[in-house]
């Protein structure tokens, strides 16, 4: 996969078809520009880590969105009202026929554009991410001595910021 993408990038530089701007391409470009020095195995490991993490966090987010939508009929009704006029009828016959949708498909891209312009769906997803963040802790290292509420935090100390607790704190977000 890595070599195939390198070959595609080399062909694109010689006037061939363009290369997708994805994570692997960006890592390879950083390697070629000297901004990073990853071995082939490290590139593969990084790509696999990002793909796995992306799938897990996406699946969890979708699960939490569905859970919240099924719990609250008001949310569900408002979402249905927003989603109802979409171009789904254009895609249904092909999906039933087992045809895959792709970014080269004009109807699929029209639907993707419509999905990007749904404010309530966007708000529901963002609220689910706030209440159920994919990462519950964020470790940070103190780069210099500092004080938090009068407590010395020595340089080099690792602090864990409790993301989930901050995102559901009623003093910040209300009851």
């Amino acid at each position: 996969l890595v070599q195939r993408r390198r070959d595609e990038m080399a062909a694109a530089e010689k006037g061939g078809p363009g290369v997708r701007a994805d994570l692997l391409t960006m890592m390879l470009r950083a390697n070629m520009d000297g901004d990073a020095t990853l071995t082939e195995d490290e590139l593969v490991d990084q790509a696999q880590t990002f793909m796995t993490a992306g799938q897990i966090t996406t699946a969890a987010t979708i699960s939490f969105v569905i859970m919240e939508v099924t719990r609250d009929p008001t949310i569900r009704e408002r979402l249905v009202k927003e989603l109802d006029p979409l171009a789904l009828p254009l895609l249904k016959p092909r999906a039933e026929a087992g045809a895959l949708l792709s970014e080269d498909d004009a109807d699929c891209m029209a639907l993707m554009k419509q999905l990007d312009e749904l404010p309530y769906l966007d708000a529901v997803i963002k609220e689910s991410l706030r209440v159920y963040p994919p990462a519950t802790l964020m470790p940070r290292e103190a780069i210099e001595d500092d004080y938090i509420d009068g407590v010395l935090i020595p340089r080099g100390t690792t602090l864990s910021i409790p993301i989930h607790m901050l995102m559901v704190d009623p003093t910040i977000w209300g009851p």
Side-chain angles (χ1 to χ4, degrees):
L1 178 66
V2 174
Q3 188 56 51
R4 184 172 58 208
R5 184 58 51 88
R6 279 192 180 113
D7 294 344
E8 290 170 2
M9 291 169 69
E13 286 178 17
K14 294 176 184 172
V19 180
R20 294 174 53 171
D22 59 15
L23 178 66
L24 180 58
T25 301
M26 289 187 293
M27 288 191 304
L28 285 169
R29 281 204 176 109
N31 245 18
M32 291 187 309
D33 295 343
D35 296 336
T37 52
L38 298 173
T39 67
E40 184 119 352
D41 286 342
E42 289 170 332
L43 283 167
V44 170
D45 288 345
Q46 288 296 315
Q48 287 175 337
T49 298
F50 276 98
M51 287 184 351
T52 302
Q55 289 175 340
I56 292 168
T57 56
T58 301
T61 299
I62 291 170
S63 297
F64 287 125
V65 167
I66 290 170
M67 180 181 77
E68 289 301 323
V69 168
T70 58
R71 282 184 176 176
D72 189 331
T74 308
I75 295 172
R76 184 172 52 254
E77 288 164 14
R78 192 165 167 191
L79 262 181
V80 167
K81 189 183 242 184
E82 187 176 73
L83 293 168
D84 212 25
L86 292 184
L88 293 174
L90 296 170
L91 303 176
K92 189 174 181 185
R94 278 182 279 169
E96 288 173 348
L100 297 176
L101 302 174
S102 77
E103 62 188 34
D104 298 327
D105 184 323
D107 290 336
C108 182
M109 293 312 293
L111 176 61
M112 296 305 292
K113 185 174 178 357
Q114 288 178 328
L115 287 172
D116 282 342
E117 297 168 356
L118 298 173
Y120 193 67
L121 176 62
D122 190 52
V124 168
I125 293 169
K126 286 179 178 175
E127 181 66 1
S128 292
L129 285 166
R130 180 186 72 81
V131 176
Y132 308 104
T136 56
L137 291 174
M138 184 171 48
R140 292 293 181 260
E141 185 176 320
I143 58 172
E144 59 185 41
D145 290 354
D146 204 348
Y147 288 88
I148 298 177
D149 287 336
V151 177
L152 172 65
I153 309 297
R155 178 180 185 266
T157 301
T158 299
L159 301 171
S160 289
I161 300 168
I163 301 298
H164 181 258
M165 290 176 67
L166 293 173
M167 295 295 109
V168 295
D169 184 341
T171 63
I172 298 170
W173 299 97

